[in-house]
Amino acid sequence: MQIDITGHHVDVTEALKAHVHEKFTRLERHFDKLVDIHVILTVERKEAQKAEANLHVSGQDMHAEAVTDDMYASIDAMINKLDRQIVKHKEKLTSHR
């Protein structure tokens, strides 16, 4: 799993990188075939902190974004959205109708 982290109008600190890496290990629990992840952290307005991610898994690309007042909360909300998408994708793969 390769994670690329970029920042728009924000400096990506080691603490932010560590937080992103820690949260993405949670996604690896559900689905271990994560190939490539691109995370973009953005400060849009004074209070809008946005985190978005493009995730490539075997056979599908996923996208999630979240906007809150806190960058860490945005990352957490984005991870929750990706988690639901990955679980749904995994259920589709293992569905034996």
Side-chain angles (χ1 to χ4, degrees):
M1 174 177 73
Q2 179 180 351
I3 301 175
D4 296 326
I5 304 171
T6 58
H8 289 241
H9 305 293
V10 65
D11 292 331
V12 181
T13 62
E14 289 299 321
L16 280 173
K17 287 181 185 179
H19 188 72
V20 169
H21 283 284
E22 176 187 337
K23 293 298 179 176
F24 272 104
T25 56
R26 178 177 142 201
L27 297 182
E28 277 189 317
R29 271 190 321 194
H30 294 296
F31 196 69
D32 58 348
K33 296 179 176 84
L34 301 175
V35 178
D36 188 30
I37 302 166
H38 186 72
V39 179
I40 302 169
L41 306 175
T42 309
V43 176
E44 292 183 337
R45 296 180 302 270
K46 291 182 181 177
E47 299 177 5
Q49 311 269 331
K50 181 168 117 176
E52 58 184 302
N54 296 315
L55 176 69
H56 180 73
V57 296
S58 56
Q60 188 175 4
D61 289 331
M62 298 179 191
H63 177 78
E65 65 179 47
V67 179
T68 61
D69 295 339
D70 182 34
M71 185 61 77
Y72 291 99
S74 296
I75 293 169
D76 293 343
M78 175 195 64
I79 293 292
N80 289 337
K81 289 179 183 180
L82 281 173
D83 191 31
R84 287 192 301 269
Q85 289 180 19
I86 287 175
V87 168
K88 187 175 179 181
H89 176 69
K90 186 177 176 182
E91 288 174 356
K92 284 183 182 179
L93 290 177
T94 59
S95 176
H96 301 288
R97 295 182 187 178

